[in-house]
Amino acid sequence: RICVRDAIRASLRSRYPDGDFPGPAAEAEHGVVADETAEVFEP
C-alpha cells in the first residue's frame, strides 16, 4: 500500500511540478468509466 501511495505521489509531482493539481474528478470535462467486467477463461 505504501509503495502504491508513493508511486502515485511521484507521478503527480512529475506531471504537476508546481503543485497545481486538478480539481475533483466530478469537475473533469472528460474521463473514463470502467463499467464492464472481465471474463474469466482457461487457456
Side-chain angles (χ1 to χ4, degrees):
R1 180 170 64 179
I2 292 171
C3 293
V4 171
R5 180 201 63 199
D6 290 348
I8 291 171
R9 287 181 175 175
S11 175
L12 284 171
R13 281 194 303 272
S14 73
R15 295 180 184 275
Y16 304 99
D18 297 331
D20 189 23
F21 302 118
E27 296 176 1
E29 294 178 12
H30 55 81
V32 176
V33 175
D35 60 355
E36 296 184 25
T37 58
E39 183 178 331
V40 179
F41 68 97
E42 292 187 30

